[in-house]
Amino acid sequence: MLFQKLMQKVVEKGNLRIIDASGRTFDCGDGSGRRCTMRLHKRLLDYKLVLNPPLYLGEAYMDGDITLDEGTLRDFIAMMARNYEQLESNRLVSLGFALGRHTRRLKQYNPIGKAQRNVAHHYDLSGELYDLFLDADRQYSCAYFRSGEESLEQAQADKKQHLAAKLYLNRPGLKLLDIGSGWGGLGLYLARAGGCEVTGVTLSTEQHKLSQERAKQAGLEDRVQFHLRDYREDANRYDRIVSVGMFEHVGKKNYHEFFRKVSDLLADDGVFVLHSVGRVNDPGPVNPFIRKYIFPGTDVPTLGEVLPVIEDCMLTVTDVEVLRLHYAETLRHWEQRFQANRGKVAELYDERFCRMWETYLIGCEMGFRHQGLMVFQIQITKNVSAVPQTRDYIYEWEHGHAGGASQAAE
């Protein structure tokens, strides 16, 4: 009865019913909202789930040891996210979280070889999988929803446009480095829309292969080059640098190394734009289920952890923007598309994989809605005069390229 007692203390808002392996029923919460009925199929879960609920609940659902008789996985995860403060404050659970904080520096050890293995774990999955839930340009990062009513395709196009505006592409022929270039969509857009000479680096063999193919198909091989290498191995100088969705894999103990390398790579009048998932409050450990099964080695910083390091590396912050619910909306679109193609995903992998990715997509969405996750974009220079005094140039670029981001990706 340990887990049931824990849930009765944790779930203050909501309607949770637990049926244990012996058939006993326990009710938790204030009865509000749609009821979720969770059935435990193994006696051991009553004890195991108390030790690390964020990890073992996800594992048990993924393995089929927990099923939901009433309500959906989205209903259950949303209810748990709304009550997460109570979970964190529980003495037994907080001990596990404290242990996670003490061991995270070891987990953040990130030499070049390990970094590549971590990337391969996630990004070298079947390309067909990503086609089933991403937009046509395979943008696998937070989209930019101006109103919230946009399609995923439009919001991702607007994200590329927004980043381009902050890079201040004030003349053609700028040499640009894309650190963590994904499947090449952003680099190709910047070459077309901004006339940049783009170098993209990725640690994923599958992403590198497709990026090269896309550059060739677009007739841009002379201006866009993608390389399978670590950014730390680059020795060139660039007018512009952009990094989207890669910084989360650097690890806190490696922040100085990252920004020192960026400083080495960036021209004296250059501009760097960093786009990363972050936290708005306590710099705690990443959800253990996400770290173990989805993004090994990942880490989520606060601005308070990042900004002092930038200053220590003699770089200047010239603009900061916090995107709050944009990633929650992005993940909602991804999960809807994933569910619409669930049968095809199961054919590629299996039902266990489907349950694992459901937990990942919904869990991350609720993290942005209820648990203090956000996305930040930081514009960084070496020279305070590298960009204009006001943000008018950002709005002027976006106005001048309105509707063009979608076409530039084709």
Side-chain angles (χ1 to χ4, degrees), residues 321-340:
E321 182 177 8
V322 173
L323 308 179
R324 288 155 289 134
L325 292 175
H326 294 257
Y327 215 159
E329 287 302 303
T330 305
L331 285 154
R332 180 177 65 84
H333 279 273
W334 289 348
E335 197 262 335
Q336 287 176 346
R337 293 181 176 211
F338 184 91
Q339 295 295 356

Side-chain angles (χ1 to χ4, degrees), residues 88-265:
E88 284 187 309
S89 62
N90 181 270
R91 286 187 180 181
L92 186 58
V93 176
S94 63
L95 285 175
F97 288 168
L99 180 61
R101 288 185 175 90
H102 287 304
T103 60
R104 71 183 178 195
R105 295 187 70 85
L106 178 63
K107 295 171 184 175
Q108 290 161 11
Y109 178 61
N110 195 39
I112 290 174
K114 183 181 179 186
Q116 186 159 15
R117 290 192 296 274
N118 287 342
V119 167
H121 177 89
H122 191 86
Y123 296 99
D124 284 346
L125 295 171
S126 168
E128 188 178 346
L129 167 68
Y130 293 101
D131 286 334
L132 293 175
F133 73 95
L134 297 180
D135 65 303
D137 196 42
R138 280 204 194 173
Q139 290 294 305
Y140 196 21
S141 59
C142 176
Y144 188 66
F145 289 88
R146 298 182 186 278
S147 70
E149 301 300 320
E150 297 89 346
S151 67
L152 179 62
E153 276 71 19
Q154 185 60 57
Q156 291 290 13
D158 288 346
K159 185 266 300 293
K160 289 176 285 189
Q161 183 190 77
H162 198 54
L163 289 165
K166 293 183 177 183
L167 284 163
Y168 187 49
L169 307 178
N170 59 332
R171 63 183 187 273
L174 291 167
K175 295 184 183 300
L176 182 142
L177 174 65
D178 184 357
I179 301 177
S181 51
W183 289 280
L186 178 60
L188 294 171
Y189 168 71
L190 294 171
R192 284 184 171 124
C196 299
E197 297 179 15
V198 176
T199 298
V201 293
T202 177
L203 294 177
S204 165
T205 56
E206 291 299 319
Q207 289 184 338
H208 176 240
K209 179 181 177 182
L210 182 60
S211 298
Q212 288 184 307
E213 292 174 358
R214 293 182 70 186
K216 184 176 181 179
Q217 291 169 359
L220 292 171
E221 310 103 300
D222 59 330
R223 286 197 288 130
V224 182
Q225 300 290 324
F226 295 103
H227 301 280
L228 183 64
R229 69 179 180 221
D230 195 287
Y231 74 98
R232 290 168 285 190
E233 299 174 307
D234 200 311
N236 298 302
R237 296 271 279 184
Y238 297 92
D239 304 301
R240 302 291 185 268
I241 301 176
V242 66
S243 182
V244 178
M246 174 270 179
F247 189 69
E248 301 92 317
H249 304 283
V250 169
K252 300 182 195 302
K253 70 187 296 288
N254 307 305
Y255 289 170
H256 278 87
E257 178 189 41
F258 177 84
F259 287 109
R260 280 196 294 264
K261 183 61 180 179
V262 165
S263 182
D264 291 342
L265 295 168

Side-chain angles (χ1 to χ4, degrees), residues 1-4 19-22 24 39-52 56-57 59-60 63 65-66:
M1 296 176 61
L2 288 177
F3 175 64
Q4 292 84 344
I19 304 175
D20 70 10
S22 300
R24 293 175 297 181
R39 185 178 294 272
L40 313 183
H41 295 281
K42 292 185 175 179
R43 295 180 186 275
L44 182 62
L45 288 175
D46 184 47
Y47 305 96
K48 184 178 180 180
L49 292 175
V50 176
L51 300 177
N52 191 336
Y56 294 132
L57 277 169
E59 280 189 344
D63 293 334
D65 295 334
I66 284 177

Side-chain angles (χ1 to χ4, degrees), residues 67-82:
T67 56
L68 291 170
D69 292 358
E70 294 180 284
T72 65
L73 183 64
R74 172 175 289 275
D75 296 330
F76 174 71
I77 293 179
M79 178 174 58
M80 293 304 298
R82 288 193 294 269

